[in-house]
Each structure stands twice: as C-alpha cells, then as structure tokens.
C-alpha cells in the first residue's frame, strides 16, 4: 500500500524546503543502520555537544538518532522554511495567524522588560500591565479576605469555569504548584457533562464560593451552560440576583454579554485577539493561578517563560534549544515515520502536563493545508500522549521497550523534590535515568537468552532536568514546548494559530440538541448510523429502569 | 524509505495467516477510494447490519471503512490465526501465557455460574468464592464500623497503595462509580514520587485510616517504598508497632513478607498466578472498590463482565462483538497504517478509562516476537490514548478532524446521566452524535469556500452506548475491551500475557539507586549521557538554593 496523506500520495514539500528535505531523506537512509550505542562509542564529547542549558533547565538531546550532520541538515530545512524570519515576525506583532489575520503575541504577556511590543503600530504593553495590575489587586483582595460574599463571608473556594485553553493551563499549573497553594481552594469545571458541575457544587457553600467564567466570547456552549447552572445554584441560596456581583468574575472580551449575566464590569478581566486559547494561561485566564498561589508566584511563572522567550528570540538557530527540540520532532515524524510523541514527566505534580501539551501541539499543528491553502503531502503534527513516571513503567512502557512503533519520548524530572521524602526521590531519579538508558541500550538475544526477554533498544529520548519544580522553572518548561511547537509549524508550512477543525462538530451539535430533546432524529437529516444511534439512545432514555 | 519493523523489512506473517493477510491488502487497495458516505449511500441496511447489542451495550461499527466483504476477510484471518481455539484454550485454563507457562483465567473471577473452571485439573472456583466471601466480610466490617482503628475509631479513609494493575483498575472503577460511593473515602497512591504519599497523608488522620498494600509479590519497589512510609507515619502516631495490624491489609500472595511487615494473616487477600496484573481489578485487588461502593456493587461489576464473557465464549465469530472490535483494530493497524487508537468517553466519570485501557492494550500487545519466539515483521499493538469529551473537542480534536493521521476512535456515552441536570446531558449527547457524524462527513472545499475551513472527513469511529453508567454496564464495557485486546494478540501471534519489557529498566534502576545516593556515576558504568545527567542532577541537588 503506497503511503498517502488524506488520500494523496505522500511527497516532500515544494521549494524552498524540497532540497533540504531530500537531503534529510538521503541522510536518514545512511543513519538507519547506526545505533545510539554506536554514536556514543564513536564520540566521547557527544553528551557535551548535544546537551544544552536554557534558563534554569538542562535539555539533553544526545540520546537521539542524530549526528552533527543531522543537525546541520535540519538547520538547513529550518532556514529554508524561514523559522527565524517567522519567529521575528511573531515578536514584531505581524499577523502570522494568516487565516484569521491576527498577530500571535502571547510573548507580550510575559515580557518582563521595558521593551514595547506592537500590534498594528500600537504598543500593547500598557494594556498588558493594566490587566496584570487588575489581577494583582483582585487576587490580593480575595486572598486577603477584603473581598466578601453576599452574606459577608470570606471566599474559601474558587471555581474556574472554562474549557480548552481556559481550563487546561490553570489545571496543569495549579496542580504542579500545589506546594505553593496558600489561597482559596481551586476547583475547575470544564466538561458540559453535568457530572462535573454537579459533583463540584455538591461540596461547596454558595456564600463562600467565587466563580470565574473564562470564555473570550462569553458564548462557549459548555462554559455558559456550566456558568448558568452555577448561577442558578447561587441565586437559589442567596435568594436574589444581586448576589451574582459578589460571586462571579469574568475572563472575557464580550462586555455586553458579561453585563447581561450580572457581572460587575469592574470584575471583568480582558484579553485580546492576539492571545490564542492554548497560549492563554499567561493572560487573564491565569487569574485562577494567581488566586491559588498568589500573584507573586504568577509573576515568577511569567519570568520563567520570559527567560526562554529571550533565548528563543536571540539565539542563533544552531544553539536555540526550542528550535532544536522542534526540529527533532520533524526528524522523527517526517523521516522515521513516527506518528506520536510521548511526554513522560517523572513528577506526580506534572500529571496534567501531557494533556496540556496535547492541546498545545495537536491543536496547533494538526493541520492539512499550507499557509497558502494548498493540501499538504507530508505528515504534520504528531499525536502527543503520556502519563507520569514511574506509573507508566507499570502500564504502557512495555510497548515503548518491546513494541513495533518508534516513539520519541521526553523524560522530565526535577533534581530536588518539594517534599522531605529523600528516599522516594532517590528512587524516582534512578528510574528516570534507568529508563532512557534501557530504551537506548536494549538487550540482545545473546545477553538475554530468550527472544521474549530481549529488547531492540535504540529508542530515542530527550531528558529535561529542572533544578526544582518552581513557578519559574515551570514557566520556562512550558515556553520551551510552545516555541518547539511553533518551529514545527513553520517547517511544515501550516498555520499553527487557528483551529478551524473544531467548527464543523460545533455546528452539527447545535442542530442535534433539539433532536436529542425531542427524542427522535429529524427526517432525512442524518446518515443511518447517526439517526439509528439517536433513536436507540432515545429509547434507552424512555426506559424507566 | 522502506517500511521497517524494528529494523527488519515489513512483511506479512507466514502461513497460516499469510493468505488472508494478502487478501486483506488487496481488498484495502480496492476500498481506499471509497468513502464512508458512499458506503451509507449504497446500503440502506448498513446501520442494522453493523451495529450490535452485547449485554446491555449498543456497539455501532457502521461508521468504519468496511463492507460485508471486509468482515468476511477479517474473519478468515481470525480463523487462520485460531482466535476461537485460543479463546477456548483460555477458558479451559490451558497455559496460553506461553512464556511463563501460566493459565490466564481472570474470567474465572467473574464466573457467576455453577460451572467449574480448571487450572491443572483443579477447579479454581471454590478458592475464588472463598476470597470473594472474605472480601465481603472484611468490607462489610469496615463499612459497618465494626472494624476499628488502634484507638477505637471507625475507619473514615482507605488508601490503596499499588501500581500498574493494582492501581489503574481501582482508580478507574471508583471514579466511574462515584455516585455509588457510600463507604470510607478512597485515596490511591501509586507513584514512588514522594509527592504522592506525602500529599495524601497530609490530609489524613492515622487513627481512622486503613491502608491496602496491593502487590502480588510484596516486593514491588514503588509499592513497598510507599507502604513503609505509610507504616512509619502510622507507628509514629500510634506509638507502637502493634497498631499496624489494625491499619494495614494486604492483597498479595507472599504470606511471609506480609507477616514480616506486621500484617495479620487474617487480613491478607490472595490471588493467583493465573491473574495478570492488568486483569486484576476483578480479584482481591478490587477490595478498594468493595470498600468504596459496597460488595454488592462489586458483584454487579463482576456480573456485567460475566455477561460479556458468556457472549465472547459462545457466539460465532461473525457476530462476536469483542472479536469484531479487535479485528477492526487489526484492520486499521496493519492495512491502513494507523499507529494509534483513541478512546473518547463522553463521560466525565470515565476520566481514567483511557489510562486503564492504555495498560490493558499496550502492555498486552506491545510486543515484537511471536509466540514461537520469532521476530514479527508486521505491526502489533497500537498506542492507546484519549481524554473525555467534550473536553477533547476543545483540545486535540483539531488533529482528528484536520490532521494528516488516520486515528480510529471509540466514542462512549451513557444514554442516561447519574445526576439531575438534563440540559447538560442533552448537550453532551448532541456533541457525542455530532462528532462522529462530522468526522465521517467532512466538508468539501466547495461547501466551505476555504481550504483552511474544509475537512477531509471519512474518519472511522465506533460508537458505544451504555443505558446508564452502572456497575454492571461498566463491567461489561471493560470485559468487551479485554476480549478485543485478546483477539488482536492472537491475530498478531504475540503472547498478550507477559510483560518482559518492563524488566530491563527495573534492573538498571536498582543499580542506579546507590549512584544517585552517592551523587556520582560509577566509573565506566554508563554511556556519557546517563553519566552526564547523573552528574548534573547531583550538582543541582548540592546547590542550596
């Protein structure tokens, strides 16, 4: 079966990328018979050459199928694709989100310098600083107990209602920074499945609960459905609608809809169309983070990201860590047939990082048309997946070690723990090191004595070490991934900043709601499967059991 | 670049599978130009033909790239591979775990009939019933408050300490059955990362906490490290070691080690070497489930699985739902180049199902040698991944709709909710239906008017509908997946029941612990990367910041 991309024969991209692409294909064939062990044996300086410091992080690429020549060819591809120019265009506020004609400037949100950053000739930094100051005042007021609920009580619990980028960022960060949590308890509700809001409200007291409704447009179906359920719950307890102003704030740009909901305009936190949902934790969407761990910690998170932004902006591509990280994904995805990319934090606190990066990567680069609107004939974004180690070792690592798929994997660990259990951390670190070693070394039939107990080895991995999982280190880690994902998108020539692929399902769902409520499909509106499922579901719902 | 499997050229399996395999390759080429929409247009009875009831579940395969001919050829392959014979051998207690010479008889754990089930000529059902009776007594005693802690208090919290199968099953089931939870609060600790046990203990009172230590061998490094930390915490509070007997129970077969730990032999729950870790939630490992929701609910879970076992055991392959489900995975993985398989529960309560099935599938079929010890030259187990909908729609669904990868996906929903928020559930159901419809239909350039807004469509999905997420329906759902995974393993000719791939990393980690503690790598013991990372980590740990 010939390889196809959405039904078209696979082929390299056209010029200017074609020459470097073909050189990499050629190079891959030469490297296919060389193992990682061979590469280490042949080069005593390999670790020093291929490991890098960026901000406070150590990033080791030396356990990858690459040589100096590989990197040179990948950098040729990056140059042909215009990675540096597109990066500069992003920082300059140009409309690199081409389909929507928008700037992409989440880097402005964490610009800790005095440097202005422009969109359409206007410096956005004063607005950014205004919103930060507003977040600081508001979070201090709630955390300090000056802000009171309708009955005069302090706020003990905050519920962030949002979905996608308005959920995954706060969820991931607040879980990661749990040792810093000294504010109200944070809960997050995203799914329209009523179990989410139902179970959350069941444990809360309306008089001491503050809701943050996070939706840029204030029309997101899931978020508004959950927000209205929360509002009804509060009003039923308070006995009047005026209480809404004391218990709801909005992270939104739709002032009119926010006011209609009953939220005080003074408690609306703005962001801008140059902040994409999947880059929004750095914006007002981060208010839940500031409430949970304090605004100072939120600023440290921004500062950590800023350090990597500066590295990304100023460092030549050959030493630019996020660029190299992105190019390695291109290397495996386009030249070694890898379909997926595993993110394996050896850190219980980074439980939600894989899900966060799933959105960051798959929504950005899960595309099939070029920036010029032509169908791609090459692979674009990988499937990102993972779970924390050491848990994964007792679950899916079997396939990493002995399966038939090539799965490049990122291993992430903090050198120092956030708890006093040193023995646990020693064992965790030993496992972190042992796994990338085992994936590389393998074990031959001669050594193991049994086919079932032998390991092919030669599995490529990146190791990322944080000194400690601080707000600053976390900010750096996330920014590193963001820019690696950016780099991939430029090489693949896709617009990494829209998400048109979510629209069709939304439209069809809107039509289906009334049919679900009526309990039968509209005549002729659906294929036999969709109609049949709807009828079967309706019959089950009518069954009183 | 020619396709390779661990460095060997890809090729079909030898006889007896070869003929059916080649016929499927041929058939795939003919079907490659046909869309799902074409298939529905050409066959008014398609939904009825390709949707099935099994136990209380509805399973719809009609949105797949298949015709009657496809199913016929897949069934030829299943027959050539001996799926029915291997299934019968499993139920007969034969050592189908060939590398370890063990029976695979988790189906005995949920055998609700009077039928004996034999291993080595001995009926195991009396032992199974004994342990179930023990679980019933113990859980009733703890839940009823007869069981008391060292200071005479009732147990309010249960902590399950286990990893892999001793964690993922209870975690998934107890989360799914939260509306039924009327016993002590359940906490689960798996990761050796000290953050897990540290954060869990921080919220608990030793005098009212019961620990279940779940490790077949009672030597699992992570589990025993966590168990000893928990033991120290308890003893420090109680002031004596005798308290251990009132606060620890073991799910294990190593009676000697359990006694040395200080656990009363009367509080040890046995299981057997014919219960693999990833099939153990049905065994004594399910004790945490019985404690949380009650033994009657645990029995309903078993009964739901039993209903599917009986279907799997007795139904001809052509109508055997788990067999068909497994064959569809073979179809995409081996004939359409799909590397992954997405599990997308439209149910917040099934949050942990994808991680559970990751282990169930990837540890079972992430293999590279045949049952006869020959290297495979065909793809085996897929990467399993997923998150609940509707959340995924706002994250990675972009790639499902518009990316370059073919990702078969299972959509799962309950017709009726476990909460009173009907409006939420209507919207959830509408989204469930809309997504598989959108993935199939796509939207042409002519319809959308823009390349970025068009969708290739023709994405295959399975829809699974439960009447309601009851213990019984959950048991059926999990058993359905287990047997589908079994079927795949037989077709691929791998031993789905060992997990040799986890051993090498364990061995290397054991050696590395002392080097981590010493703070420097042993001379010449490692590649430059592993040694370099260890040195860098040690330097960071010495830094007092």
């Amino acid at each position: 079966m010939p390889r196809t991309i959405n039904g078209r024969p696979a082929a390299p991209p056209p010029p200017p990328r074609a020459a470097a692409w073909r050189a990499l294909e050629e190079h891959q064939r030469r490297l296919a018979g060389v193992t990682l062990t061979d590469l280490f044996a042949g080069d005593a300086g390999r670790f020093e050459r291929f490991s890098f410091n960026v901000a406070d992080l150590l990033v080791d690429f030396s356990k990858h199928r690459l040589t100096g020549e590989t990197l040179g060819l990948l950098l040729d591809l990056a140059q042909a694709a215009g990675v540096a120019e597109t990066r500069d265009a992003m920082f300059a506020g140009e409309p690199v989100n081409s389909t929507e004609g928008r700037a992409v400037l989440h880097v402005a949100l964490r610009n800790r310098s005095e440097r202005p950053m422009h969109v359409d000739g206007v410096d956005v930094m004063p607005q950014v600083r205004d919103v930060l100051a507003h977040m600081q005042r508001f979070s201090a007021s709630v955390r300090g107990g000056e802000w009171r609920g309708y009955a005069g009580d302090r706020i003990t619990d905050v519920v962030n209602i949002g979905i996608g980028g308005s959920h995954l960022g706060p969820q991931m960060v607040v879980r990661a920074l749990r040792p810093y949590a000294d504010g109200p308890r944070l809960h997050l509700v995203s799914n329209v499945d009523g179990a989410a809001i139902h179970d959350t409200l069941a444990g809360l007291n309306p008089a001491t609960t503050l809701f943050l409704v996070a939706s840029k447009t204030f029309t997101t179906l899931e978020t508004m459905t959950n927000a209205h359920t929360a509002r009804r719950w509060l009003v039923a307890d308070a006995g009047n609608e005026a209480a809404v102003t004391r218990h709801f704030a909005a992270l939104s740009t739709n002032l009119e809809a926010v006011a209609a909901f009953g939220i005080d305009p003074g408690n609306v936190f703005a962001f801008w169309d140059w902040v994409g949902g999947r880059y929004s934790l750095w914006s007002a969407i981060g208010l839940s983070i500031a409430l949970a761990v304090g605004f100072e910690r939120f600023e440290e998170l921004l500062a950590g990201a800023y350090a990597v932004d500066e590295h990304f902006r100023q460092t030549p591509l050959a030493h630019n860590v996020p660029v190299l990280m992105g190019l390695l994904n291109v290397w495996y995805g386009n030249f070694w047939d890898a379909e997926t990319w595993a993110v394996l934090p050896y850190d219980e606190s980074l439980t939600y990082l894989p899900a966060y990066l799933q959105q960051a990567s798959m929504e950005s680069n899960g595309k099939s048309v070029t920036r010029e609107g032509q169908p791609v004939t090459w692979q674009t974004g990988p499937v990102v997946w993972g779970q924390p180690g050491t848990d994964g070792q007792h679950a899916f690592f079997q396939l990493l070690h002995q399966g038939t798929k090539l799965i490049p994997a990122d291993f992430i660990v903090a050198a120092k723990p956030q708890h006093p259990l040193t023995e646990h951390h020693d064992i965790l670190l030993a496992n972190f090191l042992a796994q990338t070693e085992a994936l590389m070394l393998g074990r031959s039939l001669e050594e193991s004595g049994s086919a079932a107990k032998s390991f092919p080895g030669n599995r490529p991995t990146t190791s990322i070490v944080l000194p400690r999982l601080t707000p600053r280190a976390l900010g750096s880690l996330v920014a590193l991934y963001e820019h690696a994902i950016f780099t991939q998108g430029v090489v693949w020539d896709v617009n990494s900043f829209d998400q048109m692929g979510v629209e069709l399902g939304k439209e069809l769902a809107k039509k289906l709601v009334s049919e679900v409520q009526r309990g039968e499909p509209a005549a002729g509106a659906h294929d036999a499967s969709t109609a049949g499922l709807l009828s079967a579901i309706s019959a089950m719902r009518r069954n009183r059991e």
Side-chain angles (χ1 to χ4, degrees), chain A residues 4-14 365 367-371 373-381 492-495:
Chain A
T4 57
I5 306 285
N6 288 323
R8 288 186 172 74
N365 292 331
K367 308 281 164 74
S368 294
V369 295
T370 67
R371 284 178 286 183
Q374 295 303 309
V376 300
T377 53
W378 52 94
Q379 290 289 348
T380 60
W492 290 323
D493 195 19
V494 298
N495 177 9

Side-chain angles (χ1 to χ4, degrees), chain A residues 115-135:
Chain A
R115 204 174 65 247
M117 299 192 79
H118 294 97
V119 174
D120 292 333
V122 177
D123 180 12
V124 299
M125 290 311 303
Q127 307 167 54
V128 167
R129 291 193 194 98
D130 280 354
V131 173
L132 284 172
H134 188 188
M135 290 167 70

Side-chain angles (χ1 to χ4, degrees), chain A residues 426-479:
Chain A
D426 290 342
I427 296 173
L428 182 72
L429 288 167
N431 277 279
F432 167 83
L433 292 165
Q435 286 296 327
T436 62
E437 189 179 36
L439 285 164
M440 175 172 80
L441 292 180
R443 175 172 280 175
S444 67
L445 183 57
E446 292 69 42
E447 291 170 292
S448 72
S450 143
K453 293 181 181 174
S454 55
F455 295 71
N458 204 32
R459 269 45 176 171
T461 57
T462 297
S463 293
I464 303 178
V465 184
L466 290 60
R468 194 196 289 273
L469 185 57
T470 59
R472 181 181 163 85
L474 182 63
S476 295
L477 181 68
V478 175

